Amino acid sequence: MAAPNKETLLDWYRQMVLIRRFEERCAELYQQGLIGGFLHLYIGQEATGVGAVAALREQDHVITAYRDHGIALARGLDVNALMAEMLGKATGVSGGKGGSMHLANRDLRFWGGYGIVGGHLPLAAGIALKAKYNEEDEVVLCLMGDGATNIGYFHESLNLSAVWELPVVWLVENNQYGMGTSVARASGATEIVQKAMAYCCGPDGRGMAVGPRLDGMDVIAMYDGISEAIEHARTKGPILVESLTYRLEGHSMGDPQRYRTKEEVEEFSAAGPIGRFRNHLIEKYKNIGSRLDSIDQEVLDEVEAAVEFAQNSPDPTFEDLTSHVYVD
Amino acid sequence: MADTPITIREALSAALREEMRRDERVFIMGEEVGVWGGTYAVTRGFLDEFGEKRVRDTPIAEMVIAGAATGAAMAGLRPVAEIMTINFAFLALDAIINHAAKVRYMFNGQFTVPLVVRTTTGGGKQLGATHSHAPEVIFAHFPGLYVAVPGTAYDAKGMLKAAIRDDNPVLFVEHSTMLQRRSPVPDDLDFTLPIGKSDVKRQGDDVTIVTYQKGLEWSMAAAEQLAKEGIEVEIIDLRWLRPLDLEPVFESFKKTNRCVIVEESLPHFNVGAEISAQLQEHMFDYMDAPIKRVSAMDIPLPYSRELELMALPSADKVVAAVKEVLGG
């Protein structure tokens, strides 16, 4: 694993800012009634998604839950097509049929966001089985929230991946709350990685590896940790890693957030992943401030262009409504 | 080449074996498919022939069996997953309905799910309420999935081979009390039957009986009794609950003007309800008598042999229903 160079770090910064600005704009469009349904913002968790996805190789796979905008952007899905999907347009990544929770791009091996808590975990196991079955050097990165670790899918999928020694990195984004219920109030184990111990340590060391608890607000720590996890998955088998992060916005839009204090949110906001990484870059590289400023502006322009593209895109047609129910 | 009389069990086994020999991507996974040889002995000998890679025993964990098979199918394999009975498939409803059946549509055709989930249905074996249903109609409610309900060895083989070769997800339902039924089946390796085609199993001019699977047996037995009294029924075997092929039903109804629907499922919102609705929508001018449904009674099935037989349909109940629509 090579240490990331300056240009790579700047690209990660760009991705994190892009996710932030994209979502802030989505929130506005939601308030204007141009985006419907649920809108689960990733704001606060950008370092986790960007660092983890950066660790993937081209042949690797990624799949996530419904808080998927950040993962889609980090994996390089087209910003215009993503914004068009948010607006339910024919030019959207899922043709306007998926919406915010169901973004995907098969060519980029991003297998989608999934709206049922835990529902994508067995899919990840199945995709990993394909790689193992065909003896291909591919790893599946499966992200989920802490809330998903209490559901049956989690335990069945971890167990199967251990028994079959599947090349999966299970990455739990512990953002402290499953909707409005804190980890301490919902989970017997409050350190999520402890749950992996139930499926570790089989005969000959077979089974789930108990991975680290990573600082999910530090993009470099995420990159390093997930790079090691991928190496483990491709050579030894499944591993569960936990990212300690924080969701700065509500669960979805219109969440009154009675379950936490403003002070708590402000504390995490001050230590947010983007400001922290920006400070790191300024300390590390002389005179980088203007580069960062220009990235900020480029991203703003890119998001505005995406909004314009989406608004000018056609709505899906009746033909689209009835297509792709089955393979013809 | 003369057709050989074989049992439904042998037909299923032959279909699976032939398709696994033909296509390396086809594999089986599920409860007791390997070492045990299948709880209904359909996959006996498969582990020896195909090895552990392609004959994969799983934990008793239906959510991940169906979910991981879906993921493997999305990724390009052609899994045949086995869930011992359809009662246990309730645990996999989310994986089958929310994921296998919907991912293609939800992501606008990016994903294809060439999956077969095999399971057994039916009461009549004194297994009590949780193990004695014929609830396959539940699965037929949802677009994106096909539901196969073969009632003869000939159909079982041709339909299973077609299901494995098709690119859509198929719930393949076998009746647990009919596996020893024998009929002539072609040896031709490319023998398949079209998906979604019903079949006229007996010709007659007096009353149309629409049925499938166990209902086919009760109806054929009833037809013999009725023929002795000079009443000739036409029996249409649906073979698939989705796609549902009612053209032969309509054609028959134009001739008989009377219809009885025979099935093992419960009466509330069942197959007969759908077909009755469609007959009154499309064939109202041909209707000479109210349509009659024969199904299980509207109660959970009991253990006691006597009570269970009372609750299930029978040839006698079919005979009575036919006489009723004839105005007897």
Side-chain angles (χ1 to χ4, degrees), chain B residues 23-70:
Chain B
D23 187 344
E24 186 74 22
R25 297 168 301 172
V26 178
F27 72 100
I28 56 178
M29 57 179 279
E31 290 158 346
E32 309 301 350
V33 295
V35 175
W36 190 302
T39 45
Y40 291 96
V42 169
T43 55
R44 188 172 292 160
F46 277 49
L47 186 58
D48 287 340
E49 178 172 353
F50 298 105
E52 287 186 353
K53 177 182 148 184
R54 299 181 67 199
V55 182
R56 308 184 74 93
D57 282 320
T58 64
I60 302 169
E62 288 80 11
M63 294 167 85
V64 78
I65 292 171
T70 300

Side-chain angles (χ1 to χ4, degrees), chain A residues 93-95 97-98 102 104-106 111 113-114 116 122-123 126 129-130 133 153 156 160 164 321 323-324 326-327, chain B residues 24 53-54 59 61 63-64 67-68 72 74-75 94-95 98 104-108 110-111 144-146 168 242:
Chain A
V93 293
S94 301
K97 288 171 172 172
H102 306 118
N105 185 314
R106 195 188 194 288
W111 294 83
Y114 289 84
I116 301 290
L123 304 183
L129 173 61
K130 189 276 309 188
Y133 191 96
Y153 269 133
E156 293 193 13
L160 191 74
W164 284 358
L321 173 67
S323 67
H324 300 309
Y326 291 97
V327 180
Chain B
E24 186 74 22
K53 177 182 148 184
R54 299 181 67 199
M63 294 167 85
V64 78
M74 289 165 70
D94 179 70
N98 262 332
R104 180 171 184 78
Y105 186 82
M106 200 159 66
F107 297 108
N108 205 29
Q110 293 189 68
F111 301 123
L145 186 69
Y146 291 150
N168 291 291
R242 199 185 257 275

Side-chain angles (χ1 to χ4, degrees), chain A residues 232-250:
Chain A
H232 180 96
R234 59 182 288 270
T235 55
K236 296 192 176 75
I239 180 169
L240 184 129
V241 180
E242 182 176 358
S243 149
L244 298 170
T245 182
Y246 195 80
R247 158 164 65 69
L248 291 172
E249 299 294 328

